[in-house]
Amino acid sequence: MLEIRKDPSAFPGIDAEALHRMMDEVSAFGGGPDGSMMRLTLSREDGLARDWLAAWFAQEGLRLEVDAIGNMYGFLDWAGRDAPCIMCGSHLDSQPNGGRFDGAYGVIAACSAIESIRRRVAEAGITPKCNFVIVNWTNEEGARFQPSLLGSSVNSGEIDLNFALARRDGSGVSVAEALSEIGYAGKAARVVPDALIEIHIEGSAHLEKAGLRIGAFTRFWGAVKYRLAYLGRQAHTGPTPMAERQDALLAAAYLIAELRDMADKAGPDLHTSAARLEVHPNSPNVVPAEAVMFIELRSGSAELLAWAEAELKQKIAACAARANTSFEVRSIDRRRAGEFDAGLIDLAEQTAKSLGQTVLRLDTIGGHDAVSMSAVTPAIVIGVPSVGGVIHHPTEFTTPEDRLLGTELLAGMLWRFCLDGNILKN
C-alpha cells in the first residue's frame, strides 16, 4: 500500500479565484446564455478554445506539442530527460447542446493544479522528481466524428492514425480536413506517460445520494457500437398500400423497441441505446428509403456484452424481415471492459483522507480517455459530484466548492509524484 504524507498543509494550495476564472473564460467558446455548450470537436469554437489553452501554456512556460490527430500536450520539463512523466487533463470538445463542465473541467483543473505545484516548488525550494504534461484530447465525445475517444485511442495504439484521419462527419468533412481548417494538424510523436490522472465530473448521482464529494472510478464498462442502415423503398405515403410498403424507419422503430427490451431482460448490468437516427429522404409524405441507426451496447461484463451482441444480430435481421426491408452493418466499434490502476486508486483514497474526505468507489459506464490510455499506462479517473446527476445537458453543473476540492485532490496526487518520482514502481 502506498504511504502518503498526512499533513494536508504539505499540499500545494489552489488559487480558487483563478480556477473559476479560467473555467468561465473557456466556457465563452461555444457557450450559450442558458448554460448550454456547443463546442463540437475541431469546430471553430473548439479551435478558439484550443488557442486559449495554447496561450495559457505559453504564458506559463509549458512546451506545446500537437500530434497528427490534434491532441495538445503542454510539457513542464523541469526534472530532467530521464525523470518520469505524469499526465493530467481531459478534453475540451462537447456534445451538441451539452454542458460546460464535461471534459473542460478536467483540463482547467489540470492547469490550476500544475500552476499551484510550480508555485509550491518555488516557495519551498524543492527539486522536482518528475515532469508533467497537461493534455487536451481530440474528439473524446464522438458527437461529430465516430468513434469516440478518437485522439486518446490513436495515442494508445488502439486505433490506426490513417483510419482516424479519414473519419467523416455528417457533412462529409474528414478529421484531417477539420484539423487543417483550425490549424491543429501537428506532427508530434505519441506520448505515453508513466501515469495518467483524469479529473472529471461524475455524470451521475451516486456521490450526491451518498453524501460524498469524491469518487474513484475503479472499473470501466465495455461498449459495442454499431452503425446500421435499414434499406427500404421510397414511396408516397398516401396512395402506397400499407402491405406494399418497405419502410426503413419502421424497421428501425422495431429494433429500438427490441433494444430496450434486451436491457429490461438483462437487468442493470446492460445499457442499450439508439440515440441517433438519420432518415432519408426525411419528408413527411415519403416512405423512408433509408434509416441509419447509431446503436450502443454497454456492460462491465464481457460475457454479457457478447450475449447482447449476439441478440442484437438476430434482432437486426428479424426487424428487417418484419418491415420487408434489407439492412447493412456499416461499421462496428468495440471498447473493452477493464479496471483502472490499483496503485492510483490507493493514492486517490489516501490523498482524499488527508483532505478530510471519503472516496466512493464507482464504475464508469461512459467512456473516458483514461480508458484508452489504461492499455499502455497506469490510469485513473476521479469524479466530483454532478448536481442532480445531470450530464450532456445545459443544466449540467458542479458547484465551485466541489470543483475546487477535486482540483485540490488532483494537485495532492501530483504533488506526491513531484516529491518522490514514480511512486507506482517503488
Side-chain angles (χ1 to χ4, degrees):
M1 177 175 287
L2 298 173
E3 181 180 353
I4 191 165
R5 291 166 173 79
K6 300 183 183 304
D7 180 9
S9 66
F11 292 3
I14 299 299
D15 184 339
E17 187 277 331
L19 170 69
H20 300 318
R21 183 189 70 248
M22 288 192 293
M23 193 73 243
D24 289 341
E25 287 175 359
V26 81
S27 294
F29 306 115
D34 60 347
S36 65
M37 177 55 61
M38 183 71 169
R39 192 163 59 224
L40 298 184
T41 193
L42 309 185
S43 63
R44 175 183 176 276
E45 293 77 14
D46 188 33
L48 292 172
R50 285 165 170 265
D51 291 345
W52 177 92
L53 181 62
W56 189 89
F57 286 163
Q59 171 189 310
E60 297 298 319
L62 274 65
R63 173 172 55 89
L64 171 63
E65 291 195 9
V66 180
D67 65 16
I69 196 63
N71 296 322
M72 298 175 65
Y73 306 101
F75 290 91
L76 178 55
D77 302 314
W78 62 352
R81 182 186 297 270
D82 297 327
C85 180
I86 308 303
M87 178 181 283
C88 54
S90 193
H91 62 95
L92 290 176
D93 66 317
S94 82
Q95 289 288 332
N97 195 42
R100 300 185 177 205
F101 301 98
D102 176 6
Y105 164 63
V107 176
I108 299 305
C111 293
S112 186
I114 293 301
E115 189 278 331
S116 71
I117 288 173
R118 294 187 68 180
R119 185 174 60 250
R120 183 80 171 87
V121 165
E123 292 170 351
I126 296 168
T127 300
K129 294 185 179 179
C130 76
N131 298 314
F132 293 110
V133 56
I134 299 172
V135 64
N136 169 38
W137 301 109
T138 296
N139 193 55
E140 190 272 355
E141 293 290 356
R144 182 180 180 188
F145 301 102
Q146 292 77 48
S148 56
L149 312 186
L150 196 63
S152 56
S153 295
V154 168
N155 188 65
S156 70
E158 292 187 322
I159 290 181
D160 176 73
L161 172 62
N162 291 329
F163 170 86
L165 292 174
R167 298 307 89 205
R168 295 186 179 275
D169 65 11
S171 300
V173 178
S174 72
V175 170
E177 292 165 346
L179 282 167
S180 296
E181 178 68 23
I182 65 169
Y184 280 88
K187 296 181 179 179
R190 65 191 295 233
V191 179
V192 179
D194 291 276
L196 166 63
I197 305 171
E198 180 175 357
I199 193 86
H200 205 277
I201 63 170
E202 181 194 355
S204 55
H206 296 292
L207 285 170
E208 194 173 66
K209 291 176 180 177
L212 298 174
R213 299 175 65 193
I214 296 173
F217 292 110
T218 61
R219 187 177 74 145
F220 50 87
W221 283 29
V224 177
K225 302 185 180 186
Y226 274 55
R227 185 167 178 261
L228 168 73
Y230 279 115
L231 305 173
R233 185 177 65 188
Q234 185 171 326
H236 197 309
T237 55
T240 307
M242 299 299 293
E244 296 179 10
R245 297 185 185 188
Q246 299 176 33
D247 189 334
L249 184 56
L250 179 61
Y254 288 151
L255 185 59
I256 290 170
E258 292 285 4
L259 284 165
R260 178 55 189 258
D261 187 59
M262 284 170 55
D264 289 343
K265 289 179 179 177
D269 291 331
L270 176 68
H271 288 192
T272 65
S273 68
R276 178 173 170 181
L277 193 62
E278 297 173 350
V279 181
H280 179 79
N282 205 28
S283 172
N285 58 0
V286 176
V287 175
E290 180 180 84
V292 180
M293 305 176 67
F294 291 74
I295 298 166
E296 292 185 357
L297 310 173
R298 297 177 187 256
S299 179
S301 164
E303 293 76 16
L304 183 55
L305 204 56
W307 170 85
E309 186 174 7
E311 286 287 301
L312 173 63
K313 290 177 180 178
Q314 293 180 1
K315 294 179 184 301
I316 288 172
C319 291
R322 185 179 176 189
N324 194 27
T325 69
S326 60
F327 66 88
E328 296 175 352
V329 176
R330 294 184 173 171
S331 67
I332 303 175
D333 297 308
R334 292 186 171 86
R335 186 165 68 233
R336 63 190 171 85
E339 297 180 350
F340 287 118
D341 183 76
L344 289 173
I345 295 168
D346 188 26
L347 177 61
E349 291 180 334
Q350 294 190 49
T351 305
K353 185 177 180 180
S354 296
L355 294 170
Q357 301 295 321
T358 299
V359 169
L360 182 64
R361 293 193 172 201
L362 296 166
D363 284 1
T364 178
I365 300 174
H368 296 285
D369 292 302
V371 170
S372 299
M373 289 297 292
S374 70
V376 292
T377 194
I380 191 173
V381 178
I382 305 296
V384 292
S386 296
V387 174
V390 176
I391 192 171
H392 289 183
H393 187 272
T395 58
E396 168 188 292
F397 188 66
T398 294
T399 67
E401 294 79 11
D402 285 337
R403 280 180 263 150
L404 177 59
L405 177 63
T407 307
E408 290 173 336
L409 180 82
L410 174 62
M413 294 176 70
L414 296 174
W415 184 240
R416 179 65 191 281
F417 285 101
C418 183
L419 294 178
D420 298 333
N422 190 358
I423 57 177
L424 300 180
K425 291 187 176 181
N426 291 347

